[in-house]
C-alpha cells in the first residue's frame, strides 16, 4: 500500500499572533516548500488548487470543497464570534440540535444564514470551529470526574478578564463593531458549560468607556434539572480570575486558570464527601490538540471520498453556534433590564 501523503493546508492570515511573513519563516523549518499568496488573486488560487484540502476560514472555501477550520464561525464575509469551550457538563445536558435555538440579535441572524448556506453544500466538506478550550486536558479530564460529585446543585462561572490597552486584542476593530462587543467575543470561550440552561436573567452594564458595551454581565441561570447557578463576566479587571465551580450532592469540582512551575494552564480540584481534596495541574495544550485532530480528520476524509467518515464532534461548527445561543439570551435579558429570557427551542 502506498504511503499516505500529508495533507496540504492553507492558512489564511496569521492575525494578531504574528505577521504572515514571520509565520512563513517558522513554517519553512518544517515544510520547505511553503509559499505565500496575497490578496484576492491569492485566495482565488487557493480555492482553485485541488491539492489543498484544508484551510482556516470562509464559506467560499467550503463551497469550493475545502475542509475549513477557523477560530470562529464566519458568516458570509463577516466574522461572528462563535468560539466555545467544551463544558464539563456538555455530555449530560447539551445534546441539542441547533434548530432548537433562535437568536435575538444580528450576529445570530448572520449565523443562521451561514449554517443554512453550509447545509446546501453537497457533499459537504468538514466545517470546524478551532476552539482550544474543547481540547484542553484540564476540561477533558475534569469531565471524567463529574460522576464523582453526583447530581448538580449549583454552578458558578466567574470570569474577570484583563482587556486593556496592553492586550493585543484591545485595538481589534471588528471586535468593536458588533452587538455584544468583548462580552460576546470573549464570553463564548467560557459559556458552553452552561448549555443545560433553560432560562436566564441578566444585568449588563457599560463602565469602561475605552471598551465597547456592555463590558459586564451578571446572570442567574436555571438548569434543566431545576437547580440554578450564576455566570459573571467582567471584560477588564485589575485582578484577573477565571474559575468554574460545580457543586454536586457528593462533592465539588473546580477548574481554575493559573500557572505552576512557570507554565500557564488550569488546576483541577476535586473535593469529595469524605473531605478529601485531589488536585491536578494541566498546562495549556489545546491549540496543538485541536489542530492535530483537524488534520487527522481531513486526512481521513480525503482518503474516503464517499463521505463515510466520522468527524470529531468537538470540532463541529455546531459547538460554536450552541455557545452563542446561551450568551445571546443573556445579552437579550440585559437589554430588557433583567427580564428572564428563555434559551428558546423551536
Amino acid at each position: 500500500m502506498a504511503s499516505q501523503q500529508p495533507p496540504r493546508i492553507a492558512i489564511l492570515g496569521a492575525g494578531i499572533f504574528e505577521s504572515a511573513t514571520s509565520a512563513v519563516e517558522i513554517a519553512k523549518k518544517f515544510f520547505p516548500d511553503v509559499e505565500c499568496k496575497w490578496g484576492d488573486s491569492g485566495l482565488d488560487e487557493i480555492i482553485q488548487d485541488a491539492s489543498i484540502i484544508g484551510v482556516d476560514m470562509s464559506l467560499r472555501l467550503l463551497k469550493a470543497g475545502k475542509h475549513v477550520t477557523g477560530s470562529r464561525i464566519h458568516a458570509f464575509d463577516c466574522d461572528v464570534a462563535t468560539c466555545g469551550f467544551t463544558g464539563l457538563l456538555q455530555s449530560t445536558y447539551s445534546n441539542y440540535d441547533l434548530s432548537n435555538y433562535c437568536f435575538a440579535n444580528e450576529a445570530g441572524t448572520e449565523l443562521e444564514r451561514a449554517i443554512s448556506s453550509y447545509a446546501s453544500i453537497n457533499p459537504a466538506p468538514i466545517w470546524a470551529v478551532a476552539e482550544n478550550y474543547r481540547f484542553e486536558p484540564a476540561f477533558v479530564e475534569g469531565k471524567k470526574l463529574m460522576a464523582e460529585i453526583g447530581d448538580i446543585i449549583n454552578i458558578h462561572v466567574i470570569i474577570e478578564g484583563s482587556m486593556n490597552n496592553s492586550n493585543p486584542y484591545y485595538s481589534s476593530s471588528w471586535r468593536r463593531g458588533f452587538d455584544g462587543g468583548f462580552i460576546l467575543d470573549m464570553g463564548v470561550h467560557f459559556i458552553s458549560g452552561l448549555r443545560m440552561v433553560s432560562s436566564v436573567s441578566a444585568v449588563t452594564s457599560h463602565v469602561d468607556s475605552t471598551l465597547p458595551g456592555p463590558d459586564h454581565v451578571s446572570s442567574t441561570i436555571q438548569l434543566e434539572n431545576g437547580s440554578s447557578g450564576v455566570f459573571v463576566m467582567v471584560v477588564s479587571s485589575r485582578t484577573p480570575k477565571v474559575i468554574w465551580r460545580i457543586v454536586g450532592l457528593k462533592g465539588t469540582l473546580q477548574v481554575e486558570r493559573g500557572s505552576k512551575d512557570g507554565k500557564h494552564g488550569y488546576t483541577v480540584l476535586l473535593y469529595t464527601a469524605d473531605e478529601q481534596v485531589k488536585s491536578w495541574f494541566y498546562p495549556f495544550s489545546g491549540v496543538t490538540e485541536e489542530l492535530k485532530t483537524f488534520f487527522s480528520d481531513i486526512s481521513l476524509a480525503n482518503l474516503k471520498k464517499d463521505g463515510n467518515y466520522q468527524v470529531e464532534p468537538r470540532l463541529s461548527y455546531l459547538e460554536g453556534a450552541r455557545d452563542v445561543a446561551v450568551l445571546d439570551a443573556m445579552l437579550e435579558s440585559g437589554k430588557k433590564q433583567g427580564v428572564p429570557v428563555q434559551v428558546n427551542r423551536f
Side-chain angles (χ1 to χ4, degrees), residues 58-66 76 117-118 120-121 125:
S58 189
L59 285 168
R60 288 179 62 187
L61 292 147
L62 286 166
K63 291 177 179 178
K66 313 293 187 186
F76 300 102
S117 180
Y118 175 67
S120 68
I121 303 173

Side-chain angles (χ1 to χ4, degrees), residues 5 14 16-17 41 61 63 79 93 100 106 125 135 165-166 170 180 217 229 265 273 282 297 309 315 330 346:
Q5 293 296 314
I16 288 173
F17 290 104
S41 61
L61 292 147
K63 291 177 179 178
D79 286 323
Y93 290 101
N100 289 333
E106 182 179 354
F135 293 84
N165 58 13
S166 66
Y170 175 84
V217 59
Y282 299 94
D297 279 4
Y309 52 85
L315 290 175
M330 291 182 184
F346 295 143

Side-chain angles (χ1 to χ4, degrees), residues 21-283:
T21 51
S22 297
V24 167
E25 291 306 311
I26 294 172
K28 280 184 176 179
K29 297 176 182 178
F30 307 94
F31 307 100
D33 60 344
V34 67
E35 57 183 306
C36 286
K37 298 180 183 294
W38 306 97
D40 289 341
S41 61
L43 179 60
D44 287 339
E45 290 179 26
I46 290 171
I47 290 173
Q48 295 168 18
D49 189 341
S51 69
I52 297 174
I53 67 169
V55 293
D56 77 336
M57 62 176 285
S58 189
L59 285 168
R60 288 179 62 187
L61 292 147
L62 286 166
K63 291 177 179 178
K66 313 293 187 186
H67 302 294
V68 171
T69 185
S71 62
R72 48 193 45 82
I73 290 181
H74 299 268
F76 300 102
D77 291 323
C78 304
D79 286 323
V80 179
T82 54
C83 309
F85 105 109
T86 267
L88 299 170
L89 311 173
Q90 176 191 359
S91 61
T92 304
Y93 290 101
S94 65
N95 190 23
Y96 297 145
D97 186 277
L98 180 65
S99 62
N100 289 333
Y101 290 106
C102 65
F103 301 90
N105 60 26
E106 182 179 354
T109 301
E110 289 296 319
L111 178 55
E112 288 181 315
R113 290 174 182 169
I115 291 169
S116 176
S117 180
Y118 175 67
S120 68
I121 303 173
N122 186 25
I126 295 171
W127 184 11
V129 173
E131 177 47 69
N132 55 297
Y133 277 60
R134 303 189 209 286
F135 293 84
E136 290 293 351
F139 299 115
V140 174
E141 298 303 317
K143 185 183 293 187
K144 298 175 183 177
L145 299 172
M146 284 297 297
E148 298 194 33
I149 68 170
D151 293 338
I152 298 166
I153 301 172
N154 186 269
I155 61 175
H156 292 74
V157 180
I158 309 296
I159 310 299
E160 298 173 7
S162 57
M163 185 54 61
N164 51 53
N165 58 13
S166 66
N167 190 305
Y169 298 97
Y170 175 84
S171 300
S172 177
S173 59
W174 71 262
R175 288 178 169 86
R176 296 172 177 268
F178 63 86
D179 190 22
F182 286 100
I183 286 287
L184 182 58
D185 175 51
M186 295 166 61
V188 286
H189 285 289
F190 313 109
I191 204 68
S192 67
L194 301 178
R195 292 202 208 126
M196 78 296 296
V197 173
S198 60
S199 66
V200 303
S201 176
V203 175
T204 56
S205 61
H206 187 194
V207 178
D208 189 342
S209 61
T210 67
L211 296 170
D215 60 357
H216 159 259
V217 59
S218 291
S219 179
T220 58
I221 58 178
Q222 183 174 6
L223 310 185
E224 290 186 336
N225 69 353
S227 57
S228 63
V230 296
F231 177 89
V232 178
M233 180 175 177
V234 177
V235 172
S236 182
S237 170
R238 297 295 182 183
T239 56
K241 190 178 187 64
V242 177
I243 186 171
W244 294 261
R245 188 174 173 89
I246 305 165
V247 182
L249 285 175
K250 299 179 180 179
T252 297
L253 181 64
Q254 179 173 304
V255 180
E256 184 169 6
R257 187 166 179 166
S259 61
K260 183 178 181 181
D261 300 329
K263 296 181 179 179
H264 294 282
Y266 296 97
T267 296
V268 177
L269 293 165
L270 177 65
Y271 302 86
T272 60
D274 58 0
E275 299 185 354
Q276 296 294 311
V277 181
K278 299 178 182 179
S279 176
W280 302 265
F281 180 80
Y282 299 94

Side-chain angles (χ1 to χ4, degrees), residues 273-295:
D274 58 0
E275 299 185 354
Q276 296 294 311
V277 181
K278 299 178 182 179
S279 176
W280 302 265
F281 180 80
Y282 299 94
F284 294 145
S285 63
V287 171
T288 300
E289 293 304 315
E290 57 96 354
L291 287 175
K292 284 168 57 178
T293 302
F294 176 70
F295 295 153

